[in-house]
Amino acid sequence: MSEKEKKLMAIYRETRPPSVFVGVPGTVNHLVWSSLAILVGLMLWLSIAVVNAENLRHALVSKACQDRVFAAELDQRCLAFVQTRDHWWQHLHYALTHLRPQGLD
């Protein structure tokens, strides 16, 4: 490489923007992004579990699945498929806003 070409390459190197962008290899912190993805997945899983538990709790409190023949028994098939509120977010909202059962205050 001639001296002229070395000077020209040095000029181009100086005008190049710094490599501090996220897409540049070596600057992405995979541990942080992996931890964030795991935490979001865990929050989603826990939200689904809370919604299912609140749906079952509300069905038991409202006696939505009481057996028609034996009044003291529960219909297990009904408990598996019952939807006591219109939307899942209503269960989640109730579970997050009512941390203690009503009537114990």
Side-chain angles (χ1 to χ4, degrees), residues 1-35:
M1 189 179 298
S2 70
E3 192 64 35
K4 210 175 194 183
E5 289 173 338
K6 286 182 183 179
K7 287 181 183 178
L8 187 61
M9 291 303 286
I11 292 171
Y12 279 126
R13 259 188 235 111
E14 296 300 322
T15 60
R16 194 171 50 179
S19 60
V20 292
F21 300 109
V22 176
V24 178
T27 60
V28 178
N29 193 346
H30 295 288
L31 180 64
V32 173
W33 287 109
S34 300
S35 300

Side-chain angles (χ1 to χ4, degrees), residues 43-88:
M43 283 179 40
L44 181 67
W45 179 73
L46 287 175
S47 297
I48 291 169
V50 165
V51 166
N52 287 333
E54 175 56 30
N55 183 36
L56 184 61
R57 187 206 65 82
H58 192 257
L60 292 173
V61 168
S62 64
K63 297 183 180 172
C65 291
Q66 195 169 15
D67 197 351
R68 295 170 207 255
V69 178
F70 302 104
E73 298 292 324
L74 295 172
D75 186 6
Q76 297 297 323
R77 273 192 245 146
C78 174
L79 282 176
F81 297 108
V82 70
Q83 287 296 323
T84 56
R85 293 189 176 107
D86 291 335
H87 300 285
W88 63 267

